[in-house]
């Protein structure tokens, strides 16, 4: 705590806790998180399940009405948009639940690896080029997270003596 028991946000140290700016951020987050990260995927799931139960998921009118959501996917993968929503949700949860960058990177790699495997197995898009693009994006995100883990300052400083010439056996860098 700071003098006078002042507290500041961890990720935005210029914002003092429970000031007007912070309260606005809390209110926006309290509306955004339930509606966008939970509400939209639940509504989409309900919509797909309702049309699937009614046997109307592949009807011309339903497909035309919901083409902006399901239009890019093959018929048996009309629900794939839910996987994309889960991807966004998982990354948001990882970034908020883990304060340590190493844990964020490791958790992101695990989630992205599972999503990449699911994508390769299903290949859900109608257009082959979109399947390839999504594969490249997922693989790139995994590589980006992996590079972040490998280049994280604490890791590189401790490993410099082992990876670079001029260090002794304990990982110390000689001057």
């Amino acid at each position: 705590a700071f003098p006078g028991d002042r507290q500041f946000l961890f990720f935005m140290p210029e914002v003092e806790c429970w000031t007007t700016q912070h309260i606005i951020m809390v209110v926006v987050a309290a509306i955004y998180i339930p509606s966008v990260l939970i509400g939209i995927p639940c509504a989409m799931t309900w919509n797909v399940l309702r049309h699937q139960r009614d046997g109307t998921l592949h009807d011309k009118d339903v497909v035309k009405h919901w083409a902006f959501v399901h239009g890019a996917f093959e018929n048996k993968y009309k629900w794939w948009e839910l996987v994309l929503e889960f991807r966004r949700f998982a990354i948001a949860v990882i970034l908020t639940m883990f304060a340590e960058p190493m844990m964020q990177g490791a958790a992101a790699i695990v989630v992205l690896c599972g999503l990449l495997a699911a994508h390769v197995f299903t290949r859900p898009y109608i257009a082959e080029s979109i399947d390839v693009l999504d594969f490249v994006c997922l693989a790139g995100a995994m590589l980006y997270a992996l590079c972040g883990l490998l280049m994280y300052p604490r890791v590189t400083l401790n490993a410099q003596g082992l990876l670079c010439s001029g260090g002794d056996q304990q990982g110390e860098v000689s001057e």
Side-chain angles (χ1 to χ4, degrees):
F2 291 94
D5 289 329
R6 295 173 61 194
Q7 295 179 335
F8 295 86
L9 295 181
F10 181 75
F11 289 104
M12 290 182 70
E14 67 274 8
V15 177
E16 187 174 353
C17 292
W18 306 114
T19 60
T20 304
Q21 185 180 10
H22 181 232
I23 291 172
I24 290 170
M25 293 168 77
V26 169
V27 169
V28 169
I31 294 169
Y32 178 84
I33 290 172
S35 62
V36 173
L37 294 180
I38 297 170
I40 291 174
C42 288
M44 290 171 52
T45 302
W46 175 80
N47 184 49
V48 169
L49 292 176
R50 178 176 59 98
H51 286 297
Q52 191 172 19
R53 184 185 63 235
D54 297 345
T56 59
L57 186 59
H58 304 296
D59 285 359
K60 190 174 185 177
D61 292 336
V62 172
V63 170
K64 184 178 177 183
H65 183 74
W66 293 102
F68 72 97
V69 176
H70 310 115
F73 307 111
E74 294 185 21
N75 280 340
K76 61 183 178 179
Y77 299 117
K78 293 294 184 192
W79 49 267
W80 193 259
E81 183 66 30
L82 299 172
V83 174
L84 299 180
E85 289 292 327
F86 170 76
R87 182 190 307 178
R88 294 176 192 107
F89 179 74
I91 296 300
V93 166
I94 288 169
L95 291 175
T96 56
M97 296 302 289
F98 300 112
E100 175 64 36
M102 294 295 285
M103 285 300 297
Q104 289 177 343
I109 288 172
V110 169
V111 168
L112 290 170
C113 187
L115 290 166
L116 185 65
H119 176 79
V120 167
F121 180 72
T122 58
R123 302 180 62 87
Y125 294 95
I126 293 171
E128 179 70 21
S129 60
I130 303 298
D131 275 326
V132 171
L133 178 64
D134 202 32
F135 173 82
V136 169
C137 288
L138 282 168
M142 282 180 53
L143 182 62
Y144 185 74
L146 182 61
C147 287
L149 289 177
L150 293 175
M151 302 301 168
Y152 191 65
R154 282 194 303 203
V155 173
T156 55
L157 287 177
N158 290 338
Q160 279 180 356
L162 300 173
L163 299 176
C164 303
S165 61
D168 63 9
Q169 299 293 3
Q170 273 28 43
E172 302 281 328
V173 178
S174 57
E175 298 183 24

